[in-house]
Amino acid sequence: MAAEGEQPGSGEPDPEEFVYGEEDFVLQAAGWEAEPDSALSRFDRALLDSWTDRMERGFFRYRLGSLPTRVLPGPMRLVAQLNVQRSTERRPPQLVNSLRQPFDTRAFNFTRLRRGEVLLRLRGAGSAAPDPLLVAINASPLERGHVLLLPEPARRLPQALMAPALRGALEAAFLSAHPGFRVGFNGLGGRASVNHLHFHGFYLPRPLLVEAAPAQPLCRGLSLLRSVPAPAFLLYAAGPAALPALCQDVCRAAEHLTGAGLAYNVFATRGKAPEGGGAGSGLRVLLWARRPSFGGAAGAGLEVALCELAGYLPLPAAPLFHRITEQEALGAIREHLLPEPELLRLGGDLARLLQR
């Protein structure tokens, strides 16, 4: 007899249908002063239980145990983590040579996932809900619970932000009660490794400076984070009701960057309101503008994508993990970013765009 959730003779579990309503949103996530796993939400339990099940069944490229982690000395509090297998076992990234590269049916894409790799079918209740998402394992995980959030893979959309898909991914962030559940997006030229629309979600049980750093207002709804590892534009949602307008603004800004020949990355984390105060219940959404990265990895052993920009450094080798300094890491990260005068001019352009 097949186990519950499996089709007879298939040996692979079916994804769980996860329908959520407003009552499932967590407006006040757990704080770092408590044990983050002490009060998981229904979404957290469903994701982590099914993710652990797939790890036990061997769906991943490697078994992920406890990873050596240290906070680098310095004001940026960069979190370095050693993950050798991700660098040696992961699928080679696809060649990206354009910010508007079309979807290629011949290349690997997420329509090729095995049924057992999909954990959840995430769907909001009600007619105003965002597009459904598939929650699938990342077969070469960064951390526990590392998943891909996939908006309708059968549509074969390239890796470019769309407001309905972004809203679904950010609603997933509000479904988690864990302060370390983060959602991110690597654009084309921003180290996206697959040109098929997807977001990353993962649990990192460490706080990051970008959650609480003060921001400089540029216009209503848009601020600039400067005293962080990689200066970023910041948008903020106090709750899920703010997401439709925020997602439209993020996508308008991202399209402006693409039109200007710039790549981008996006990162969402629980954090304080830009003006300060509060207990960190809302969602900070960071948008980085960068020079496009086409071709090989960056210097210092860092492939600078959304994690590195946010201050989380997955490192591929023990010698680098033990010797890297904050100064060395920041040099590699900021090599891809705009000089401050150019960043400030861009901030003015985005402020005018979003105030129209």
Side-chain angles (χ1 to χ4, degrees), residues 3-191:
E4 183 178 356
E6 293 183 5
Q7 291 189 0
S10 71
E12 294 198 6
D14 288 326
E16 175 186 341
E17 296 290 335
F18 191 97
V19 180
Y20 64 91
E22 290 186 8
E23 69 279 3
D24 291 298
F25 291 128
V26 181
L27 300 183
Q28 181 64 58
W32 289 110
E33 65 281 357
E35 170 54 47
D37 282 357
S38 62
L40 298 177
S41 67
R42 183 170 75 95
F43 169 77
D44 292 319
R45 291 191 297 271
L47 189 158
L48 291 170
D49 287 351
S50 55
W51 191 91
T52 301
D53 171 77
R54 302 313 194 269
M55 180 64 72
E56 293 300 319
R57 292 172 183 262
F59 278 91
F60 291 82
R61 289 175 176 258
Y62 50 87
R63 290 190 65 85
L64 188 73
S66 178
L67 298 172
T69 304
R70 70 185 185 100
V71 178
L72 303 189
M76 295 298 167
R77 304 199 300 273
L78 300 175
V79 177
Q81 191 171 70
L82 180 61
N83 191 335
V84 175
Q85 288 175 293
R86 178 169 167 82
S87 67
T88 59
E89 303 295 331
R90 69 182 295 198
R91 179 183 295 106
Q94 293 174 7
L95 179 64
V96 173
N97 53 30
S98 169
L99 297 177
R100 299 190 188 274
Q101 190 159 311
F103 182 88
D104 183 355
T105 57
R106 299 166 297 176
F108 171 80
N109 62 77
F110 300 119
T111 65
R112 301 182 185 181
L113 293 178
R114 295 165 57 186
R115 186 174 65 251
E117 293 181 89
V118 182
L119 308 180
L120 308 173
R121 297 184 190 275
L122 197 62
R123 180 167 57 85
S127 58
D131 293 345
L133 289 174
L134 297 184
V135 181
I137 65 168
N138 187 313
S140 301
L142 285 165
E143 252 287 3
R144 181 183 71 139
H146 186 182
V147 294
L148 302 171
L149 306 173
L150 307 174
E152 301 184 78
R155 293 177 64 189
R156 294 174 166 81
L157 297 169
Q159 182 70 345
L161 275 182
M162 299 176 60
L166 177 60
R167 180 185 163 195
L170 297 184
E171 284 200 357
F174 272 117
L175 291 173
S176 174
H178 193 295
F181 183 69
R182 277 71 180 232
V183 168
F185 180 92
N186 292 319
L188 296 177
R191 294 298 177 189

Side-chain angles (χ1 to χ4, degrees), residues 173-247:
F174 272 117
L175 291 173
S176 174
H178 193 295
F181 183 69
R182 277 71 180 232
V183 168
F185 180 92
N186 292 319
L188 296 177
R191 294 298 177 189
S193 61
V194 178
N195 185 20
H196 192 179
L197 183 57
H198 68 284
F199 300 81
H200 291 269
F202 61 92
Y203 294 82
L204 176 67
R206 299 286 182 122
L208 298 171
L209 185 62
V210 294
E211 299 167 18
Q216 170 190 335
L218 297 177
C219 69
R220 183 176 56 83
L222 181 69
S223 304
L224 179 63
L225 277 182
R226 300 176 78 173
S227 300
V228 291
F233 299 110
L234 172 65
L235 299 93
Y236 182 78
L243 291 180
L246 179 148
C247 292

